């Protein structure tokens, strides 16, 4: 249940400023560790700031949605919801520049398939990706543990879909004057799709979000479900009703303000990202490839009893990568 | 494990000669059987490694892999025959521990050949002083051993009896079957009744007999218990006052009984209807009914309905809080700075 879950106890924020503060601290940490030798002005131009990071993440969330929509076999919505949750949580703690979002994206989807018991073998999974499949498989497997570690190994996610079904059933049973709540479904589905692009899932409980979806859809079709809420759900607790109304209002505002960033801005940001990203974690960079090759070669010589002789700056880059992970 | 045990003299291993048995002597070194015979055929009698004089009957078959262990076990047995005092013989625990330490020192010295003259003197002194106590303890020990042996014998006898019973029962069964068959044949030959009815009645009779057999066997089995008491009530043997020491588990004092307390769920929302009430409140009209295969597995619509309702109601009263670790750390640090400013 949500009330006793790790989601509520460890992954909730008070409001949007809280969430952005967390992202800000991750951003600052990365910039200060990488841009030690630059001036303030240089850092501004070289590194991404928090707003830019946020837009980038939103664009990647759209990409995740698209990927899951085209997924074969067809992916149920709660798997997509869990994957989006993981992505959001990961990038609350870490900066976009630190770990390449494309890789984390596929790893999130893979992990969420496992956790939500939607069985897809690795071959089937990478069959849905374009490009080099072996490489993709190895990327996913390498990043899986990292992702779990950054999520503090708290993998159970409560999505708004089951509370939605419960509320529907309840409405049909206890509020028969409202005819056929199924009419509200299309509006609800759209609302829930949009809500995953906001931070509402990190601030409010899933049942509140699904109730907001019902209210929103009802008001767009000019219906009124207030009676249901006041008389039946909250008949005993009037003060909590105010709390809920407040929450629902805020959620609807957040969803209304969702704006997909422009493609050109995204392209520019991605170019900037390629310059300032952390080469140790980016599997494309030559430094990473060289390090991997070196460690692979050294593994063979271990058996003779010799120890690897890494060059000094390789050791330094490895240590920096390790120390950053340690700080996080 | 067996493969690399080598005789130090002839260097054969168990791998090469699987029948080889290592014998260990009083000084703790191992020799294979054939080497032992060889050694004493020539009449010499010195250990090939340490040159101490040996006797033929001092060679024992090795029980442990490490001959040093065997040597120690031998010495220990020998010494403990002499030093057999028990805790009851000492007024305080401290003295008993001192005695034990003395025994261990003696054994240690003998195993590693440290200061043999002194050690032997100690042994002789002890022997002289404690001759009678040693003798008494020896008798007591033999009594206990006797009791154990008796128990073992009784068990064995019981098992034999049971086995015999089964054999007898089987024989009886066979005899009865044989008799019944002969009776059937006789009747078929000599009586004038219908053949089929005779066969049917015999089949019934054998079925009835088969039912009675196990009952008879059970009764017979319980009648063979060895009597442990004379008719006047006196216990046979010395078992009487020792039975309480053979309890397998010591009796426990009465602990408070377990009481079931139903778990309490805090939904943080309006309470959902309980699973028993769902049918009466007509929730099932709005949920997909379970098909036959699902119901066979034990699934009912009530389960998914209840779960959906619980999740829907749970968390509705939730108000946003900061539980994420970065937020929590931030609040802690701001509190600290506040404190510092006021002081």
């Amino acid at each position: 249940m949500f009330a006793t879950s790790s989601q509520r106890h460890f992954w909730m924020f008070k409001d949007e400023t809280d969430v952005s503060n967390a992202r800000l601290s991750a951003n600052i940490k990365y910039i200060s560790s990488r841009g030690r030798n630059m001036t303030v002005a240089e850092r501004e131009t070289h590194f991404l700031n928090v707003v830019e990071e946020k837009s980038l993440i939103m664009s990647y969330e759209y990409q995740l949605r698209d990927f899951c929509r085209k997924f074969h076999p067809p992916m149920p919505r709660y798997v997509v919801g869990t994957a989006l949750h993981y992505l959001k949580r990961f990038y609350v703690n870490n900066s976009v520049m630190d770990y390449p979002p494309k890789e984390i994206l596929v790893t999130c989807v893979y992990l969420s398939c496992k956790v939500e018991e939607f069985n897809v073998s690795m071959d089937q999974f990478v069959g849905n990706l374009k490009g080099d499949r072996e490489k993709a498989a190895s990327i996913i497997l390498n990043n899986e543990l990292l992702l779990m570690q950054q999520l503090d190994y708290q993998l159970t996610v409560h999505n708004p879909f089951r509370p939605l079904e419960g509320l529907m059933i309840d409405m049909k049973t206890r509020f028969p004057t409202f005819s056929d709540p199924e009419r509200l479904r299309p509006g609800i589905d759209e609302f829930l799709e949009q809500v995953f692009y906001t931070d509402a899932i990190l601030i409010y409980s899933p049942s509140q979000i699904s109730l907001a979806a019902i209210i929103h859809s009802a008001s767009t079709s000019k219906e009124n479900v207030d009676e249901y809420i006041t008389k039946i759900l909250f008949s005993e607790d009037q003060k909590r009703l105010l709390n809920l109304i407040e929450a629902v209002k805020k959620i609807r505002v957040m969803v209304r303000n969702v704006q997909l960033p422009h493609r050109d801005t995204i392209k520019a940001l991605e170019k900037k990202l390629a310059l300032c990203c952390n080469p140790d974690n980016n599997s494309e960079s030559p430094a990473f490839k060289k390090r991997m090759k070196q460690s692979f070669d050294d593994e063979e010589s271990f058996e003779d009893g010799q120890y690897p002789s890494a060059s000094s700056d390789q050791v330094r880059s490895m240590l920096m990568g390790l120390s950053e992970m340690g700080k996080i | 494990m067996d493969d690399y045990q080598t005789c130090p003299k002839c260097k054969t291993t168990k791998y090469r000669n699987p029948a080889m048995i290592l014998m260990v002597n009083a000084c703790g070194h191992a020799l294979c059987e054939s080497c032992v015979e060889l050694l004493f055929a020539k009449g010499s009698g010195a250990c090939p490694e340490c040159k101490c004089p040996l006797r033929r009957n001092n060679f024992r078959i090795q029980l442990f892999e490490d001959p040093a262990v065997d040597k120690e076990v031998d010495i220990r047995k020998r010494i403990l025959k002499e030093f057999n005092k028990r805790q009851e013989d000492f007024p305080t625990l401290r003295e008993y521990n001192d005695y034990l330490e003395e025994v261990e020192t003696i054994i240690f010295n003998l195993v590693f050949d440290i200061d043999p003259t002194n050690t032997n003197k100690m042994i002789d002194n002890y022997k002289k002083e404690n001759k009678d106590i040693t003798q008494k303890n020896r008798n007591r020990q033999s009594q206990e051993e006797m009791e154990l042996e008796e128990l073992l014998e009784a068990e064995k006898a019981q098992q034999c009896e049971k086995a015999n019973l089964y054999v007898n029962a089987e024989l009886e069964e066979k005899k009865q079957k044989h008799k019944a068959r002969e009776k059937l044949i006789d009747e078929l030959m000599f009586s004038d009744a219908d053949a089929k009815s005779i066969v049917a009645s015999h089949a019934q009779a054998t079925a009835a007999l088969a039912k009675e057999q196990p009952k008879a066997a059970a009764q017979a089995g319980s009648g063979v218990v060895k009597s442990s008491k004379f008719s006047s009530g006196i216990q046979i043997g010395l078992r009487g006052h020792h039975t309480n020491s053979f309890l397998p588990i010591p009796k426990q004092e009465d602990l408070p009984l377990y009481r079931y307390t139903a778990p309490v769920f805090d939904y943080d929302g309006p309470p959902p209807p309980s699973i028993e009430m769902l049918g009466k409140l007509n929730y099932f009209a709005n949920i997909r009914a379970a098909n036959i295969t699902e119901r066979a597995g034990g699934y009912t619509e009530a389960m998914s309905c209840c779960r959906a309702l619980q999740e829907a109601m749970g968390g509705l009263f939730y108000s946003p809080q900061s539980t994420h670790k970065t937020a929590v750390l931030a609040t802690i640090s701001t509190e600290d700075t506040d404190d510092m400013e006021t002081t």
Side-chain angles (χ1 to χ4, degrees):
Chain A
M1 259 183 335
F2 175 72
T4 51
S5 66
S6 61
Q7 182 175 343
R8 182 204 188 283
H9 288 295
F10 297 104
W11 288 100
M12 283 279 139
F13 291 89
K14 203 162 157 78
D15 51 25
E16 288 195 292
T17 41
D18 218 0
V19 184
S20 21
N21 282 342
R23 291 202 177 111
L24 187 67
S25 61
N27 183 285
I28 290 176
K29 204 192 292 179
Y30 180 77
I31 292 181
S32 56
S33 70
R34 298 285 297 184
R36 222 166 282 151
N37 307 324
M38 299 183 186
T39 65
V40 179
E42 277 180 359
R43 283 193 207 169
E44 292 270 309
T45 47
H46 184 78
F47 292 111
L48 299 168
N49 65 25
V50 196
V51 178
E52 294 170 339
E53 282 195 349
K54 195 157 191 297
S55 346
L56 259 185
I57 293 183
M58 202 182 287
S59 81
Y60 276 106
E61 285 170 7
Y62 268 95
Q63 284 189 29
L64 200 157
R65 261 270 152 83
D66 277 334
F67 173 59
C68 294
R69 210 169 294 165
K70 298 182 196 140
F71 199 84
H72 182 77
M75 201 182 266
R77 352 180 242 182
Y78 52 88
V79 180
V80 187
T82 309
L84 282 168
H85 251 284
Y86 288 160
L87 192 65
K88 266 207 212 298
R89 286 188 192 179
F90 186 85
Y91 282 115
V92 160
N93 279 336
N94 304 308
S95 159
V96 179
M97 301 178 272
D98 211 354
Y99 300 98
K102 261 219 180 76
E103 303 181 357
I104 301 294
L105 197 157
V106 267
T107 318
C108 281
V109 183
Y110 184 66
L111 187 61
S112 125
C113 287
K114 274 196 201 173
V115 169
E116 298 291 344
E117 300 188 3
F118 173 65
N119 266 315
V120 190
S121 72
M122 182 54 112
D123 294 324
Q124 242 179 332
F125 190 85
V126 295
N128 286 301
L129 290 170
K130 290 184 280 254
D132 187 0
R133 305 224 166 129
E134 294 262 335
K135 189 165 159 233
S138 68
I139 288 177
I140 295 176
L141 290 175
N142 286 338
N143 280 332
E144 200 180 347
L145 266 185
L146 168 71
L147 176 64
M148 283 204 282
Q149 187 184 29
Q150 291 302 315
L151 296 173
D152 275 340
Y153 300 97
Q154 286 154 347
L155 302 175
T156 308
V157 165
H158 290 266
N159 283 313
F161 304 113
R162 205 178 285 121
L164 176 70
E165 300 299 327
L167 285 170
M168 284 273 127
I169 295 172
D170 200 42
M171 257 216 287
K172 288 181 206 167
T173 317
R174 292 205 278 179
F175 193 49
T177 46
F178 188 89
S179 54
D180 194 21
E182 294 290 327
R183 289 176 290 147
L184 302 174
R185 283 260 175 194
I188 290 174
D189 290 340
E190 200 195 309
F191 186 89
L192 284 180
E193 254 204 53
Q194 298 288 58
V195 87
F196 273 103
Y197 299 128
T198 68
D199 290 333
I201 50 177
L202 295 171
I203 303 176
Y204 296 103
S205 77
S207 45
Q208 287 171 339
I209 294 176
S210 53
L211 194 59
I214 294 180
I215 293 176
H216 176 90
S217 170
S219 71
T220 42
S221 29
K222 307 281 190 282
E223 307 268 355
N224 202 331
V225 288
D226 293 341
E227 222 186 283
Y228 168 62
I229 299 175
T230 47
K231 293 280 173 52
I232 296 171
L233 277 186
F234 285 90
S235 52
E236 291 139 39
D237 274 325
Q238 289 296 320
K239 46 182 161 42
R240 305 216 210 227
L241 180 62
L242 294 168
N243 184 14
L244 180 77
I245 293 178
E246 177 78 26
V248 166
K249 213 189 301 178
K250 290 219 180 95
I251 296 174
R252 289 176 71 182
V253 164
M254 273 200 250
V255 170
R256 211 175 301 152
N257 294 338
V258 163
Q259 229 179 5
L260 174 60
H262 221 29
R263 284 192 69 186
D264 302 330
T265 26
I266 295 295
K267 281 215 181 100
L269 287 178
E270 294 217 10
K271 265 193 226 150
K272 205 174 166 192
L273 174 67
L275 289 173
C276 65
C277 68
N278 188 349
D280 291 330
N281 296 329
N282 189 355
S283 57
E284 305 286 329
S285 75
F288 185 86
K289 285 185 189 159
K290 202 166 155 204
R291 180 159 64 92
M292 284 286 116
K293 186 169 180 301
Q294 185 84 12
S295 71
F296 186 69
D297 289 334
D298 292 335
E299 266 176 36
E300 295 170 3
S301 70
F302 266 138
E303 292 170 23
D304 301 342
Q306 297 167 9
Y307 281 91
S309 54
S311 69
S312 63
D313 46 61
Q314 274 173 6
V315 173
R316 209 184 308 134
S317 71
M318 272 204 278
L319 284 176
M320 276 208 11
L322 281 175
S323 68
E324 278 176 21
M325 281 173 58
K327 276 185 217 154
I328 290 163
Chain B
M1 252 203 317
D2 297 327
D3 287 353
Y4 62 71
Q5 271 184 331
T6 20
C7 166
K9 197 145 183 273
C10 60
K11 312 276 187 234
T12 34
T13 57
K14 255 209 168 133
Y15 179 72
R16 280 197 260 155
N17 177 12
M20 178 179 98
I21 304 176
L22 282 174
M23 318 262 287
V24 107
N25 59 20
C27 64
H29 299 126
L31 277 180
C32 82
E33 240 182 327
S34 31
C35 286
V36 169
E37 290 195 22
L38 203 73
L39 193 59
F40 287 104
K42 284 204 278 180
S44 51
C47 170
E49 277 135 69
C50 61
K51 304 281 176 255
C52 55
L54 295 171
R55 276 181 287 177
R56 180 77 168 86
N57 56 4
N58 266 346
F59 266 90
R60 278 162 280 275
I61 298 180
Q62 194 173 334
L63 290 166
F64 301 96
E65 227 179 86
D66 188 0
V69 175
D70 236 312
K71 176 178 174 188
E72 171 159 355
V73 163
D74 261 349
I75 291 177
R76 197 175 275 272
K77 231 195 285 179
R78 214 179 358 123
I79 296 286
L80 284 176
K81 265 199 213 143
E82 294 296 330
F83 290 73
N84 61 2
K85 283 205 206 159
R86 287 197 263 165
Q87 190 167 359
E88 297 93 66
D89 297 327
F90 292 93
T92 63
L93 182 65
R94 181 66 202 238
E95 289 188 31
Y96 181 51
N97 286 337
D98 286 341
Y99 165 77
L100 285 176
E101 209 180 314
E102 206 188 309
V103 171
E104 288 299 323
T105 330
I106 291 179
I107 294 179
F108 185 82
N109 288 346
L110 283 175
V111 170
F112 292 101
D113 290 325
I114 304 171
D115 197 13
T117 42
N118 248 342
T119 320
N120 283 326
K121 228 196 282 179
M122 273 170 69
I123 298 178
D124 290 328
N125 276 340
Y126 176 83
K127 263 199 231 175
K128 263 188 274 175
E129 287 167 20
N130 298 294
K131 226 197 305 192
D132 43 347
I133 302 181
T134 313
Q135 193 69 17
K136 199 171 48 156
N137 280 340
R138 244 187 241 156
N139 287 338
R140 216 194 301 178
Q141 268 176 6
S142 58
Q143 255 187 13
E144 280 182 356
E145 280 169 32
M146 256 176 38
E147 282 167 19
L148 275 173
E149 270 190 45
E150 274 184 32
L151 269 180
L152 283 171
E153 259 182 61
E155 256 191 67
K156 247 197 251 170
Q158 258 194 7
Q159 279 180 350
C160 268
E161 291 287 342
K162 266 198 208 160
N164 278 343
L165 252 186
Y166 279 132
V167 167
N168 285 340
E170 270 189 45
L171 278 176
E172 281 288 325
E173 250 194 77
K174 271 203 197 142
K175 267 196 239 166
Q176 295 230 0
K177 269 200 198 156
H178 198 67
K179 262 196 226 164
R181 218 176 289 154
E182 291 204 348
K183 211 168 145 202
L184 173 62
I185 295 179
D186 284 337
E187 271 198 33
L188 281 174
M189 280 206 304
F190 296 121
S191 84
D192 300 322
D194 180 24
K196 275 199 192 148
S197 63
I198 296 177
V199 171
S201 64
H202 266 269
Q204 276 182 6
T206 43
L209 259 178
K211 273 195 214 146
E212 285 178 19
Q213 288 288 15
K215 280 193 217 151
Q219 278 180 357
S222 54
V224 199
V225 169
K226 202 164 155 191
S227 59
S228 65
K229 277 195 198 180
F230 287 114
S231 52
S232 58
I234 302 173
Q235 304 262 2
I236 295 182
L238 298 156
R239 274 181 246 143
H241 55 283
H242 277 281
T243 44
N244 56 356
S245 60
F246 292 128
L247 273 179
I249 306 171
K251 186 156 185 263
Q252 265 186 335
E253 325 88 51
D254 288 307
L255 298 164
L257 281 178
Y258 171 72
R259 242 172 242 301
Y260 171 71
T261 46
V264 176
F265 298 112
D266 178 21
Y267 289 105
D268 202 15
S274 68
I275 194 167
E276 299 91 14
M277 300 293 293
L278 288 177
K280 297 188 200 134
L281 298 169
N282 199 25
Y283 274 95
F284 297 151
N286 301 318
I287 194 168
R288 177 179 69 93
N291 60 30
I292 291 188
T293 40
E294 287 170 350
R295 260 190 287 143
Y299 168 78
T300 56
E301 305 91 17
M303 289 183 192
S304 63
C305 189
C306 186
R307 187 179 181 194
L309 284 172
Q310 279 180 354
E311 292 235 0
M313 301 299 166
L316 274 179
F317 294 162
Y318 174 75
S319 50
Q321 304 157 15
S322 278
T323 52
H324 185 69
K325 51 188 177 180
T326 50
V328 170
L329 287 172
T331 49
I332 291 176
S333 60
T334 49
E335 282 169 15
D336 284 344
T337 51
D338 285 343
D339 287 343
M340 276 166 34
E341 283 169 16
T342 50
T343 54

